[in-house]
Amino acid sequence: WDLELKKAVRSVLEGEDGIRVLKRMVGGLRDAHVYYPNETIDMRQNVLPAVIAYIEDKAVVLESMDTMLKPGDVLITADKKNVAKYAQDEMTLFSASDLTSSSWLYQSPMPCDSAEVRCVIKRNGKRLTLNIPSIPKGYYFQLYWGDYYSNEEASRWIDDDVCYINLSNTSFNAIGNLLEKRTADDYVIIDMRKRTSGFIAREILQYIAPDLVYTNIPDYAPKSSYPEVQNPSYRAEYVSPMCKTPDEHIIFLSGPRNISNEEIFLDFVKHRGVGIIIGENSAGISGAINTATLPSGLKVSFSGQRAYSNSGMEEDYYINGVTPHIVVNTSIDDLAAGRDAQFDAAMKFINEQR
């Protein structure tokens, strides 16, 4: 903090744009819990209504709040601005690793200067020009974290022996109702790829792993308080011996949007053998969140406590994230064709076990 703050203050005094400096400071801190919105100005800024991913060296629409933009569309320019360069610049600001950079990019909608954005895209090999209405930044986050996911895949029994649970849109009670009839021979796919609640994920352990009981967070996530309080007792090498034989009837789908408590849970899943993780690495950022309002009215948040991996190796968790047992990346072709590569891999894995 001290080092990055000195750099930031020096840059501002030399005349550099303050918001840009703040963003670079966030990158230097390598902490995705750091947030600095000025709610009266920043959240009213217009942005492109699309979640952008950087795949195969291109800026690609991952999800869109406007029907004219489709998943898998390659964004070339937006109001003549190079979208791939914007994506690269945002990821460079948070360049601890490619994994954390991807997570940061998803939270960085592209700013727009006008109510309508002239976008040049490539779709199915064809170059198209579209006029896309921009949306307020605050609305982007409302959709991104909340209401937008009501349209996602519903939790349900897919086959007689496979139950799919989408944690982004399913209540704890609904999950309980679905899993009531599950037997030990049935498979469960738990989809955590969208921004969900790691606390809900923890609660469903009673249905999928009832023998695993813990009472509080330090029982399953070694932590270290810093910088004001030094408490080495939490920096244990592990909570319990690592399980070498994960339960192959329980499958978790993961990705770079899993941050904070979600990836603490994924680390616990992998360490204790709760199930098989399929997908992409989690973001590699976690810890208890501190928040503050500065005299200027600017609100900030940051990790006030770092969580360590149950393996005892900081690098396995922080920055790198939790690596799935089976790594399956998303391609542009998958998005454009509407294929869910991670879900397909989960079903393939189940079919091989049957």
Side-chain angles (χ1 to χ4, degrees):
W1 270 96
D2 290 346
L3 178 63
E4 294 301 328
L5 182 60
K6 287 176 182 177
K7 290 180 184 178
V9 171
R10 189 180 304 116
S11 296
V12 171
L13 290 175
E14 291 173 355
E16 192 173 348
D17 175 74
I19 292 296
R20 187 72 180 171
V21 171
L22 274 175
K23 293 176 79 171
R24 191 166 62 243
M25 179 177 171
V26 169
L29 293 171
R30 298 181 175 184
D31 181 357
H33 277 150
V34 175
Y35 196 42
Y36 52 87
N38 182 333
E39 294 182 347
T40 61
I41 299 174
D42 189 56
M43 299 309 253
R44 287 196 308 222
Q45 179 186 54
N46 278 18
V47 299
L48 195 66
V51 179
I52 300 172
Y54 194 69
I55 303 173
E56 301 166 21
D57 298 326
K58 298 178 177 64
V60 183
V61 175
L62 188 66
E63 293 158 2
S64 174
M65 293 77 169
D66 190 290
T67 56
M68 286 189 287
L69 287 174
K70 310 290 185 185
D73 285 347
V74 176
L75 289 161
I76 300 171
T77 60
D79 282 344
K80 299 182 179 180
K81 296 175 185 175
N82 187 311
V83 185
K85 184 178 185 306
Y86 166 79
Q88 286 179 312
D89 288 347
E90 289 297 306
M91 293 173 71
T92 300
L93 286 170
F94 199 84
S95 55
S97 72
D98 289 342
L99 306 169
T100 50
S101 296
S102 297
S103 178
W104 180 252
L105 178 60
Y106 296 161
Q107 301 176 59
S108 304
M110 185 172 184
C112 303
D113 298 326
S114 57
E116 193 171 76
V117 187
R118 188 175 180 83
C119 293
V120 178
I121 69 167
K122 183 174 283 189
R123 179 186 298 162
N124 298 325
K126 296 181 180 179
R127 198 180 181 96
L128 303 173
T129 300
L130 305 172
N131 293 320
I132 307 295
S134 60
I135 60 172
K137 188 174 183 179
Y139 186 48
Y140 172 91
F141 285 112
Q142 177 186 345
L143 293 170
Y144 182 62
W145 301 122
D147 297 341
Y148 182 60
Y149 290 145
S150 62
N151 297 322
E152 292 294 316
E153 285 287 335
S155 298
R156 65 200 185 278
W157 281 88
I158 299 172
D159 294 323
D160 290 338
D161 63 344
V162 180
C163 184
Y164 170 78
I165 303 291
N166 187 341
L167 290 187
S168 69
N169 63 10
T170 310
S171 69
F172 176 65
N173 288 337
I175 292 171
N177 291 335
L178 279 168
L179 294 180
E180 272 183 342
K181 70 170 187 174
R182 177 181 177 255
T183 69
D185 293 328
D186 293 332
Y187 294 88
V188 181
I189 299 174
I190 301 170
D191 194 343
M192 293 181 61
R193 291 172 295 173
K194 301 296 170 70
R195 192 71 171 93
T196 61
S197 170
F199 296 99
I200 292 179
R202 287 164 49 189
E203 292 297 329
I204 67 173
L205 281 178
Q206 63 184 275
Y207 295 110
I208 60 174
D211 294 335
L212 291 179
V213 178
Y214 51 83
T215 56
N216 54 51
I217 287 178
D219 285 343
Y220 80 109
K223 292 192 173 187
S224 172
S225 298
Y226 73 96
E228 296 86 359
V229 180
Q230 296 300 319
N231 190 348
S233 64
Y234 282 125
R235 296 185 67 169
E237 289 189 2
Y238 48 75
V239 174
S240 59
M242 186 171 183
C243 177
K244 302 296 185 182
T245 55
D247 186 344
E248 295 182 341
H249 284 77
I250 308 295
I251 298 169
F252 295 85
L253 302 183
S254 69
R257 264 185 282 197
N258 293 135
I259 69 171
S260 195
N261 200 277
E262 298 163 23
E263 59 181 332
I264 291 177
F265 177 74
L266 284 169
D267 182 66
F268 178 79
V269 164
K270 191 171 183 181
H271 182 77
R272 294 298 299 274
V274 178
I276 298 290
I277 304 174
I278 295 177
E280 300 172 279
N281 282 52
S282 63
I285 307 126
S286 194
I289 306 173
N290 285 354
T291 60
T293 301
L294 304 179
S296 64
L298 199 69
K299 294 184 178 180
V300 297
S301 66
F302 55 93
S303 293
Q305 190 180 57
R306 181 178 295 177
Y308 288 82
S309 170
N310 282 285
S311 69
M313 297 179 64
E314 173 189 342
E315 292 78 11
D316 282 352
Y317 185 99
Y318 185 66
I319 304 226
N320 292 323
V322 179
T323 302
H325 296 91
I326 302 173
V327 176
V328 180
N329 294 313
T330 300
S331 70
I332 296 176
D333 288 343
D334 287 334
L335 288 170
R339 287 191 300 266
D340 188 337
Q342 288 88 16
F343 177 81
D344 290 347
M347 291 302 299
K348 178 182 177 183
F349 177 83
I350 288 172
N351 289 330
E352 289 172 350
Q353 308 311 308
R354 283 170 167 161

